[in-house]
Amino acid sequence: MIRGLFGIAGMEYPYLIEALEPLQEVQESFVIEFIYDFYDVVDERRLAEEKK
């Protein structure tokens, strides 16, 4: 999922994230944090658009 988001954005997939792929438990924690952070960014952008 995260690899796809980087691809859509036209960005290179970071090596440090790739290094997490074999570590299932660490990868799950990373994905959860990534999703929460991504939601925050989307929510902040939505609020900024509403203020315009």
Side-chain angles (χ1 to χ4, degrees):
M1 175 181 85
I2 294 171
R3 187 180 290 266
L5 290 173
F6 276 94
I8 289 169
M11 299 171 64
E12 186 176 330
Y13 192 66
Y15 169 76
L16 293 175
I17 296 174
E18 187 174 347
L20 296 176
E21 289 179 356
L23 307 170
Q24 185 69 31
E25 186 175 307
V26 174
Q27 186 181 32
E28 288 174 6
S29 295
F30 175 80
V31 169
I32 290 168
E33 291 298 320
F34 181 89
I35 290 170
Y36 283 134
D37 291 344
F38 189 75
Y39 177 80
D40 288 342
V41 169
V42 170
D43 198 41
E44 288 173 9
R45 187 169 204 150
R46 180 186 58 81
L47 290 173
E49 288 294 318
E50 287 179 357
K51 287 182 180 180
K52 288 184 178 180

